[in-house]
Amino acid sequence: MLVGHIQEITRHPVKSFTGEQVQKTKVMDYGLYGDRSHAFKGKNGKFLTITQVPEMVRYQAAFSGEEALDQYPEIQVKTPSGNVLTWGEGAFQEEMERLLKQEAEPVVYHPAHIPLGAIEEENILLVSDASIGELTKLWGKELDGRRFRQNLIISLVNKTPFLEEQWFGKRILIGNEVELEIKRHCERCMIITVDPSDSHRDPSLLKTVFKERGNHFGVYASVMQTGEIRVGDQVFLKD
């Protein structure tokens, strides 16, 4: 059954940096190509994220070349001041020292395999356009969808908010190749309170999600069949 089409595809080459919207990408067995492939760990061995350093969200990371399975294209990082730096170069390392304000170990996973720990929950996070629209109404403020750090936005045929939550345990087919199994709710945390444009926090959004949605927004999916997806691909719910 046709349930919608892919409206947006977003991957995050650097964990907790703002990601990049792409027109097409490979779906690997771990999720979107290169998603959360680069990260930083603190002294305790845990990932450094927006939770500890909200200003991380003001840095935007993007791959600067074609996807390859032997090595990643260069990652270009746009800083809040508008400078564009390259991951791993001296100027980038100096910028990260100023940003993170602690000893941090850069971590890079191979394009063929990113462990679940980098993504922390599941392979892919998706939401629907109807759900974003309804939460905007519930919150009563303009909503920047980047707060939710989803991989896919599905534009639904049936504009029922939170319809995707009825798909738990079922599979969706995207285009002609990719198959995902919808697993469970995404339980939200303080990260959604951080405005991607200026890193200012507004706790009222998390309070709204907690009150109106039981702290759930978006759904997690596991990759069952790899392949390539594009913006505009049709999404089918399998029987």
Side-chain angles (χ1 to χ4, degrees), residues 138-197:
L138 292 171
W139 190 33
K141 300 181 183 180
E142 185 177 351
L143 189 59
D144 187 334
R146 295 178 299 170
R147 288 177 182 265
F148 303 110
R149 306 188 67 79
Q150 73 280 332
N151 297 120
L152 304 177
I153 296 180
I154 298 178
S155 177
L156 295 174
V157 174
N158 175 357
K159 300 296 186 184
T160 299
F162 315 113
L163 182 66
E164 59 270 28
E165 296 177 359
Q166 298 180 21
W167 303 342
F168 294 152
K170 299 180 180 180
R171 295 188 180 187
I172 59 173
L173 176 67
I174 303 175
N176 298 318
E177 299 179 318
V178 173
E179 193 169 303
L180 308 178
E181 183 172 310
I182 308 302
K183 304 296 284 190
R184 63 185 184 279
H185 292 286
C186 174
E187 186 170 342
R188 291 300 175 169
C189 66
M190 65 75 61
I191 286 177
I192 69 171
T193 71
V194 180
D195 188 332
S197 63

Side-chain angles (χ1 to χ4, degrees), residues 20-213:
E20 59 171 335
Q21 289 187 18
V22 297
Q23 291 299 303
K24 65 176 181 177
T25 189
K26 295 182 180 70
V27 176
M28 311 291 287
D29 58 4
Y30 58 76
L32 301 189
Y33 175 90
D35 192 42
R36 279 84 165 185
S37 57
H38 295 61
F40 294 95
K41 286 186 176 181
K43 288 183 179 180
N44 60 4
K46 294 183 178 181
F47 291 110
L48 294 175
T49 70
I50 297 168
T51 303
Q52 299 90 16
V53 189
E55 293 80 8
M56 291 179 77
V57 78
R58 299 184 65 199
Y59 290 74
Q60 183 171 17
F63 290 118
S64 62
E66 293 296 317
E67 298 174 358
L69 297 181
D70 56 342
Q71 64 179 13
Y72 296 109
E74 279 189 348
I75 292 181
Q76 300 294 309
V77 177
K78 186 176 181 180
T79 72
S81 63
N83 292 330
V84 178
L85 307 175
T86 300
W87 172 279
E89 292 188 347
F92 175 77
Q93 294 172 353
E94 292 174 5
E95 182 76 17
M96 292 302 99
E97 289 176 5
R98 289 193 291 271
L99 169 67
L100 300 174
K101 297 181 176 65
Q102 60 182 288
E103 288 186 26
E105 175 192 0
V107 177
V108 181
Y109 296 105
H110 193 274
H113 178 67
I114 299 175
L116 193 59
I119 304 171
E120 295 186 354
E121 289 289 346
E122 266 295 344
N123 303 145
I124 285 178
L125 174 62
L126 64 88
V127 300
S128 71
D129 58 343
S131 298
I132 293 174
E134 182 64 16
L135 185 56
T136 301
K137 294 177 183 177
L138 292 171
W139 190 33
K141 300 181 183 180
E142 185 177 351
L143 189 59
D144 187 334
R146 295 178 299 170
R147 288 177 182 265
F148 303 110
R149 306 188 67 79
Q150 73 280 332
N151 297 120
L152 304 177
I153 296 180
I154 298 178
S155 177
L156 295 174
V157 174
N158 175 357
K159 300 296 186 184
T160 299
F162 315 113
L163 182 66
E164 59 270 28
E165 296 177 359
Q166 298 180 21
W167 303 342
F168 294 152
K170 299 180 180 180
R171 295 188 180 187
I172 59 173
L173 176 67
I174 303 175
N176 298 318
E177 299 179 318
V178 173
E179 193 169 303
L180 308 178
E181 183 172 310
I182 308 302
K183 304 296 284 190
R184 63 185 184 279
H185 292 286
C186 174
E187 186 170 342
R188 291 300 175 169
C189 66
M190 65 75 61
I191 286 177
I192 69 171
T193 71
V194 180
D195 188 332
S197 63
D198 57 18
S199 74
H200 291 166
R201 291 187 58 187
D202 186 342
S204 68
L205 178 57
L206 185 58
K207 290 178 181 177
T208 298
V209 174
F210 182 83
K211 177 183 177 182
E212 303 289 345
R213 298 293 309 146

